[in-house]
Amino acid sequence: MRSEREYVAGLYGRLDAERARVKARHRAALRGTGGTPLERDDEVRSLGREAKRLDVADNGLCFGRLDTLSGDRLYIGRIGLFDEQDDYRPVLMDWRAPASRPFYTATGANPEDMRRRRQFHTRGRQVVEFTDEVLGRPGDDERGDAALLAAVNAPRGEGMRDIVATIQAEQDEIIRLDHPGVLVIEGGPGTGKTVVALHRVAYLLYTQRERMERHGVLVVGPNPAFLNHISRVLPSLGESDVVFVTPGDYVPGLHVTAEDTPEAARLKGSLKILDVLRAAVADRQRLPEEPIPIELSGITVRIDVPTVEWAIEEARASDRPHNEAREVFTEIVTYVLTERAIGRLCKGWLTPDDKEEWESQRAHLCKQLAEDDRFAAALDELWPTLTPQTLLAPLYESPERLRAAGADPALFRADGAAWTVSDVPLLDELVDLLGRDKAADRAAELAAARERREAAEYAEGVMGMLELDREEIDDEFSLLARDVVNSVQLAERQGERDTRDLAERAAEDRDWTYRHVVVDEAQELSEMDWRVLMRRCPNRSFTIVGDLAQRRSVAGARSWGAVLTPYAADRWVYRSLTVNYRTPAEIMAVAAALLAEFAPGVTPPESVRASGVRPWSRKVTADELPAAIEEFVRDEAGREGTGVVIGPPGVPGAVPPSETKGLEFDAVLVVDPDKILEDGPRGAAELYVALTRATQRLGVLHRGALPKALSDLVER
């Protein structure tokens, strides 16, 4: 034990020295003047990322050791460390390195040239104990599970923990899978599919860093609570170039405030809505009801139907998005009006052969049109500049416009701008159909540049007040102020170059493309959602996580092939996880009975453990329900870990099952399961989700009849 403690203490000493060295280089880079501004900026960013990576390694730096048959010892940990004095010999192997793989995959039957696996149990920076597995023994065909059981039985905290010390062979195979396209990971509740996907991201960033680090990774989760739950995993593994979003966040700056009916969600999620969107755009390209008079040099010319028909035909034939095609429309209308005006103004003395004078007259008239408010208003009426919001909101509010676009009347709503999650893919699609409003984009760029200059001025003021010696900056706050100043000054030298970190830039840029995308609860995504995500990742590198049996959305996936084949016909592979590490056998037996009723062809995952605590139920009256819920909350407050009340709308203090997807709690109280079953077309899947959130204890309160699948619960 002493030698292991000394070795791990030595690793922490190396970590501290490396951290100090990187931070010193980072400070020097901030002060540096050598090289080009771009080279200096890249160095600052690179050293900043390395400093973050080293800062997260304190917790569980080294968690095990492998002894090979040849007598070598390999220490396995969160990051890699090397002995610079001994030809950079590895003193700690990164868990993602090929040499570390046997730590997760070696068994007695297949020891992979390993003699022993040692698992450390640490508190802070100190090894408190370890467990050994001697590999290759006759009959010893399974990995020892002491560390795994300790991890799955531990009380749950605020967020998801990484499993870097306890990855199982089934999981490790998926994490390290060498597949450049789309990987689908399907597994029932508690199989660890989410955390496996996140560790796969960390592995890909480790093995393909040069290819991936400039574009980053997008992680899509079902709701903000879920993203908050998983958000610590990748930073704990030293990876920060990751953007976390929900399907409501695809369009930067948009706020979802409403919820669709199931029928509206189904209609919006189908690819058939594309025809509606195209027709809605075309409907805003209008013919004038009456000719529109325009005054030019004292004469009146008119924008009539034949002129607009020709202009619309030419603009559409350009294959440009609507807003960009407005330029073609304007050119045609301008040409017709100026031709007519010149013909009348110069009749009798100017012939078409006098090209120079003709063009001079045209330039003069074009200038008049460009400054004419009536002409500008006519263009806005016939071919308006549109944003996705100014097209879609009026469409929803108008039965006439819906009818003209061939839309189902079910899409009508009084407040068109009360955006729902199902609207977001439509708004994103419209960005491409409409194209950019260049004037608005330029205004936004100028505003951003102004904000950066103001930030520079503020930071310079702070530094002036502190009277800092620029050669001796050690204070964190002072260093931050200096970083802001240097970044902004660099941006000014580079033509207002963006100095935000990758995750910030990507999250605010609708056109950003990622090197890899992780999609969790993927069975809930509609066909339109998949169009958005495929647009974000042109190289089709995805890790997709889901469970078709838990699908709730009427617009969601019914098969993986149906949603993926149009985009990656021969580039997607399927893997499944079959072991439940979260839900004890007693609780899973109840959930499996429900699963057999609504998805009889699906095999439930096998629980790796039993808790010894049987789930219970209690029938209560409406008057007794609040007190029974308070009793559960009070009892769980006195225990270590987390608890939650899950129920249908109207239950005091309860969250809906949909808000708990992907989450886990030590104790769960499910209220009114019969009402959950009645709530929508996928009520059984909702109840299945609710029952499988618990890692230790499950209780059920019911006012109505207890569903048949729950009849084996112990009555209290």
Side-chain angles (χ1 to χ4, degrees):
M1 177 67 77
R2 177 181 296 177
S3 64
E4 298 291 34
R5 286 177 175 169
E6 290 175 350
Y7 191 91
V8 172
L11 292 177
Y12 275 108
R14 290 181 182 275
L15 174 67
D16 291 339
E18 179 69 4
R19 183 184 289 149
R21 185 182 69 84
V22 169
K23 289 186 175 180
R25 288 183 59 198
H26 187 240
R27 287 195 294 269
L30 287 170
R31 294 193 297 265
T33 56
T36 67
L38 179 60
E39 289 170 341
R40 293 198 299 274
D41 188 46
D42 283 344
E43 183 181 17
V44 168
R45 289 182 188 276
S46 175
L47 290 169
R49 285 194 297 268
E50 180 66 7
K52 287 181 181 179
R53 186 182 76 90
L54 295 172
D55 280 341
V56 302
D58 267 298
N59 185 24
L61 172 63
C62 176
F63 43 76
R65 190 184 93 187
L66 280 172
D67 295 356
T68 69
L69 291 176
S70 60
D72 293 331
R73 292 180 176 180
L74 303 176
Y75 285 84
I76 313 299
R78 194 169 293 276
I79 64 171
L81 293 175
F82 303 89
D83 187 347
E84 297 180 11
Q85 307 301 318
D86 188 7
D87 199 24
Y88 282 88
R89 176 180 60 86
V91 293
L92 181 66
M93 298 295 299
D94 191 298
W95 67 275
R96 297 164 287 192
S100 300
R101 185 167 189 173
F103 186 78
Y104 303 109
T105 59
T107 65
N110 182 25
E112 301 187 32
D113 295 325
M114 298 295 153
R115 184 173 61 85
R116 175 168 55 191
R117 174 173 40 230
R118 174 167 290 177
Q119 187 98 29
F120 294 146
H121 306 279
T122 60
R123 184 178 298 116
R125 290 187 164 204
Q126 188 173 15
V127 176
V128 294
E129 61 177 334
F130 59 76
T131 55
D132 280 349
E133 300 167 61
V134 178
L135 302 169
R137 288 177 172 175
D140 183 12
D141 60 356
E142 294 294 337
R143 177 180 173 180
D145 58 3
L148 172 65
L149 290 177
V152 298
N153 280 313
R156 266 46 186 178
E158 287 296 318
M160 179 179 283
R161 297 168 294 189
D162 65 60
I163 58 168
V164 63
T166 57
I167 294 170
Q168 301 300 290
E170 179 186 57
Q171 299 169 329
D172 186 79
E173 179 184 352
I174 294 173
I175 290 169
R176 299 175 192 262
L177 183 66
D178 184 16
H179 178 69
V182 179
L183 168 63
V184 176
I185 307 173
E186 184 161 29
T191 52
K193 52 189 179 293
T194 296
V195 75
V196 166
L198 295 175
H199 282 68
R200 175 168 167 76
V201 169
Y203 176 76
L204 292 175
L205 286 167
Y206 175 79
T207 57
Q208 303 176 30
R209 188 166 302 281
E210 184 175 348
R211 186 179 73 87
M212 296 181 70
E213 67 178 356
R214 289 191 178 277
H215 288 262
V217 173
L218 177 68
V219 176
V220 182
N223 53 60
F226 174 83
L227 294 181
N228 183 61
H229 180 65
I230 70 171
S231 62
R232 303 176 190 178
V233 174
L234 284 168
S236 76
L237 298 172
E239 305 299 346
S240 58
D241 290 339
V242 181
V243 176
F244 294 89
V245 301
T246 71
D249 301 325
Y250 296 150
V251 177
L254 187 77
H255 299 290
V256 170
T257 60
E259 185 173 348
D260 272 317
T261 65
E263 177 62 7
R266 183 188 67 79
L267 292 168
K268 294 176 184 179
S270 169
L271 292 181
K272 294 178 182 178
I273 199 69
L274 292 172
D275 292 332
V276 172
L277 296 180
R278 295 186 188 106
V281 173
D283 185 53
R284 301 297 290 271
Q285 301 160 1
R286 312 297 292 269
L287 297 174
E289 295 181 3
E290 298 288 341
I292 302 172
I294 303 293
E295 295 293 326
L296 278 178
S297 293
I299 68 168
T300 300
V301 290
R302 287 174 172 79
I303 305 175
D304 53 21
V305 169
T307 298
V308 176
E309 285 179 333
W310 180 27
I312 288 177
E313 181 182 351
E314 292 292 328
R316 290 176 178 173
S318 72
D319 287 330
R320 297 187 194 179
H322 170 87
N323 289 334
E324 296 173 22
R326 175 181 160 115
E327 182 179 348
V328 177
F329 178 86
T330 303
E331 286 175 355
I332 297 297
V333 175
T334 299
Y335 171 80
V336 171
L337 295 186
T338 55
E339 281 286 301
R340 290 174 180 172
I342 293 171
R344 291 171 59 186
L345 289 169
C346 304
K347 186 176 181 180
W349 64 270
L350 182 63
T351 68
D353 292 335
D354 193 353
K355 294 182 179 179
E356 185 174 340
E357 182 62 27
W358 197 279
E359 290 306 319
S360 175
Q361 290 289 332
R362 185 189 306 282
H364 174 68
L365 294 174
C366 285
K367 185 174 185 299
Q368 287 187 48
L369 284 177
E371 298 171 352
D372 188 283
D373 292 341
R374 184 74 181 93
F375 182 65
L379 293 178
D380 289 340
E381 176 187 342
L382 302 173
W383 195 288
T385 299
L386 296 168
T387 68
Q389 290 87 340
T390 58
L391 176 95
L392 201 56
L395 176 68
Y396 289 149
E397 295 172 351
S398 169
E400 293 77 16
R401 280 182 168 154
L402 287 170
R403 187 162 49 250
D408 193 298
L411 295 182
F412 172 81
R413 66 180 183 225
D415 184 357
W419 304 116
T420 70
V421 170
S422 301
D423 290 327
V424 177
L426 279 60
L427 292 165
D428 188 75
E429 188 76 31
L430 285 168
V431 172
D432 287 345
L433 287 177
L434 297 174
R436 297 296 190 182
D437 180 351
K438 296 180 180 179
D441 286 350
R442 180 56 183 160
E445 291 173 4
L446 292 173
R450 185 168 56 252
E451 288 181 6
R452 288 195 292 271
R453 285 194 297 271
E454 290 172 355
E457 292 168 1
Y458 175 77
E460 287 282 22
V462 170
M463 291 179 64
M465 287 187 293
L466 294 174
E467 297 181 351
L468 297 175
D469 181 349
R470 295 195 172 221
E471 295 300 321
E472 298 177 356
I473 299 178
D474 295 317
D475 179 78
E476 279 283 325
F477 176 73
S478 302
L479 188 57
L480 174 61
R482 220 196 127 74
D483 193 7
V484 171
V485 173
N486 285 352
S487 295
V488 176
Q489 289 175 341
L490 174 62
E492 290 172 346
R493 289 194 297 270
Q494 291 293 309
E496 299 297 350
R497 231 166 48 79
D498 199 336
T499 57
R500 295 166 296 173
D501 65 30
L502 183 144
E504 291 173 326
R505 286 180 287 137
E508 297 174 16
D509 185 354
R510 179 264 176 188
D511 294 323
W512 191 276
T513 57
Y514 297 86
R515 280 290 182 263
H516 192 75
V517 176
V518 176
V519 187
D520 210 321
E521 299 293 344
Q523 73 278 353
E524 304 297 343
L525 299 192
S526 70
E527 292 176 320
M528 288 298 293
D529 285 315
W530 287 110
R531 278 181 67 87
V532 175
L533 295 179
M534 293 299 169
R535 196 177 289 127
R536 299 297 191 273
C537 189
N539 66 328
R540 304 293 191 260
S541 179
F542 282 76
T543 298
I544 294 171
V545 177
D547 180 8
L548 294 177
Q550 295 186 56
R551 178 181 62 84
R552 177 182 184 272
S553 171
V554 294
R558 287 170 171 77
S559 77
W560 300 119
V563 296
L564 296 176
T565 299
Y567 305 102
D570 56 352
R571 295 192 61 223
W572 72 276
V573 297
Y574 175 91
R575 296 291 186 273
S576 63
L577 292 168
T578 60
V579 179
N580 188 332
Y581 300 100
R582 176 177 67 215
T583 317
E586 296 89 345
I587 296 176
M588 198 60 217
V590 177
L594 177 65
L595 182 67
E597 288 186 359
F598 77 92
V602 178
T603 302
E606 182 179 354
S607 295
V608 75
R609 67 190 173 96
S611 66
V613 180
R614 291 191 62 185
W616 57 266
S617 68
R618 183 195 307 172
K619 186 173 178 61
V620 295
T621 66
D623 292 337
E624 293 169 338
L625 180 62
I629 294 175
E630 289 178 9
E631 179 185 348
F632 168 83
V633 173
R634 185 171 57 252
D635 289 347
E636 291 304 322
R639 300 175 185 260
E640 188 178 7
T642 59
V644 69
V645 179
I646 303 176
V651 173
V655 297
S658 59
E659 293 298 317
T660 65
K661 277 199 165 187
L663 307 183
E664 56 184 30
F665 307 88
D666 291 88
V668 171
L669 180 68
V670 178
V671 181
D672 288 341
D674 56 320
K675 294 292 190 299
I676 295 175
L677 284 173
E678 297 171 0
D679 184 22
R682 296 295 297 176
E686 291 274 78
L687 182 55
Y688 184 61
V689 168
L691 295 174
T692 54
R693 299 307 95 194
T695 66
Q696 302 292 341
R697 301 174 295 281
L698 172 66
V700 174
L701 296 177
H702 59 104
R703 289 176 285 184
L706 193 66
K708 180 182 176 182
L710 309 187
S711 58
D712 288 340
L713 293 174
V714 176
E715 276 287 341
R716 270 194 182 181

